[in-house]
């Protein structure tokens, strides 16, 4: 079933893991702003170089360039009927820009789903995270290891650890989340669109709870 949903939650909550599963189940395109920035970085674009200066410090990339990049991606064919937004919006400015862009077209977000996980667990998850260089699937060295060490189960791509998953940057990213992104919970609550899901359960259970929350 197609739908337009936003996944909210701190770094390490499981947004990427869940967005891929929900998108594949037929909701629509998986659009991850962090993946889009890392793609630019890999391609050596000007935007990639700009984004890196913020990502390395655990800070947010400025709203204007981020909003433009994500709205352009949302205009692509595979996102026409539905999408799962992962890591966007992350500021009130971004959330308002998204509402403005969609409101006029009668294509509002159906739900904002908050994945809740305690800070200690987030730190453990990010310290052990490995990501596929090719298809971005996240793994965890203890919680969800790949079948063959260092290789992606789905595409055999090489797994790597993100520079910004180092403990100093993780601390900054968690602070940035509290300061700039946590206020979005109230924003979506006041629109009657917020649902909270316990992210400290098995991956399959979190998926089931998320799907139930937006009526998939
Ligand atoms: P986010 O996109 O919110 O930063 P990820 O989906 O990349 O989070 O998940 C962060 C790490 O936690 C990854 O290593 C992932 O394999 C692991 N993970 C995701 N969901 C769970 C879960 N329910 N239980 C244990 N580990 C998980
Ligand atoms: P993520 O892959 O979602 O953990 O994002 C990695 C980094 O990319 C963040 O720490 C930010 O520097 C940047 N980023 C991703 N999404 C956004 C966004 N919506 N707004 C601003 N910066 C972002």
């Amino acid at each position: 079933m197609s739908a337009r949903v936003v996944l909210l939650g701190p770094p390490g909550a499981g947004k990427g893991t869940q967005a891929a599963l929900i998108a594949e189940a037929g909701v629509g395109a998986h659009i991850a702003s962090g993946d889009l920035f890392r793609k630019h970085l890999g391609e050596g674009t000007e935007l990639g170089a700009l984004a890196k200066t913020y990502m390395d410090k655990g800070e947010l990339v400025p709203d204007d360039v981020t909003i433009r990049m994500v709205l352009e991606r949302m205009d692509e064919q595979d996102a026409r009927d539905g999408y799962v937004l992962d890591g966007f919006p992350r500021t009130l400015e971004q959330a308002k820009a998204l509402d403005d862009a969609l409101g006029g077209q009668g294509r509002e977000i159906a739900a904002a789903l908050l994945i809740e996980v305690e800070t200690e667990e987030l730190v453990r998850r990010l310290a052990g995270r490995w990501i596929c260089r090719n298809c971005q699937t996240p793994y965890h060295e203890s919680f969800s290891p790949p079948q063959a060490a260092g290789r992606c189960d789905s595409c055999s791509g090489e797994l790597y650890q993100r520079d910004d998953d180092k403990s100093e940057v993780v601390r900054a990213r968690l602070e940035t989340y509290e300061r700039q992104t946590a206020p979005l919970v109230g924003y979506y609550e006041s629109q009657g669109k917020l649902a909270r899901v316990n992210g400290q359960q098995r991956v399959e259970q979190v998926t089931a709870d998320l799907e139930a929350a937006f009526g998939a």
Side-chain angles (χ1 to χ4, degrees), residues 107-128:
R107 297 160 77 94
E108 289 84 5
I109 292 295
L113 312 173
L114 173 65
I115 306 180
E116 296 183 298
V117 172
E118 286 163 8
T119 305
E120 264 178 42
E121 171 72 8
L122 296 172
V123 170
R124 272 197 293 274
R125 287 187 184 185
L126 295 174

Side-chain angles (χ1 to χ4, degrees), residues 17-64:
T17 302
Q18 296 298 332
L21 293 168
I22 295 171
E24 245 169 58
V27 170
H30 174 190
I31 301 180
S33 42
D35 288 349
L36 294 174
F37 285 130
R38 280 183 290 276
K39 186 158 179 272
H40 275 279
L41 200 54
E43 290 168 354
T45 69
E46 214 171 290
L47 174 57
L50 172 81
K52 182 172 161 45
T53 63
Y54 296 92
M55 294 166 88
D56 283 351
K57 290 186 282 189
E59 293 172 4
L60 297 183
V61 180
D63 283 331
D64 54 347

Side-chain angles (χ1 to χ4, degrees), residues 95-183:
K96 287 179 189 155
L98 181 64
D99 281 350
D100 286 349
L102 300 175
Q105 311 166 10
R107 297 160 77 94
E108 289 84 5
I109 292 295
L113 312 173
L114 173 65
I115 306 180
E116 296 183 298
V117 172
E118 286 163 8
T119 305
E120 264 178 42
E121 171 72 8
L122 296 172
V123 170
R124 272 197 293 274
R125 287 187 184 185
L126 295 174
R129 173 160 73 176
W130 290 78
I131 294 187
C132 175
R133 224 179 256 294
N134 179 46
C135 72
Q136 326 309 324
T137 299
Y139 294 87
H140 189 282
E141 54 197 27
S142 328
F143 308 144
S144 55
Q147 280 162 13
R151 289 280 151 205
C152 178
D153 292 350
S154 31
C155 75
S156 298
E158 180 203 3
L159 304 186
Y160 77 105
Q161 288 192 290
R162 276 169 50 177
D163 282 346
D164 61 350
D165 279 347
K166 288 195 192 87
S167 63
E168 322 84 78
V169 188
V170 163
R171 221 170 305 129
R173 288 164 61 205
L174 291 170
E175 280 169 23
T176 299
Y177 175 80
E178 285 306 325
R179 203 174 54 246
Q180 293 183 267
T181 308

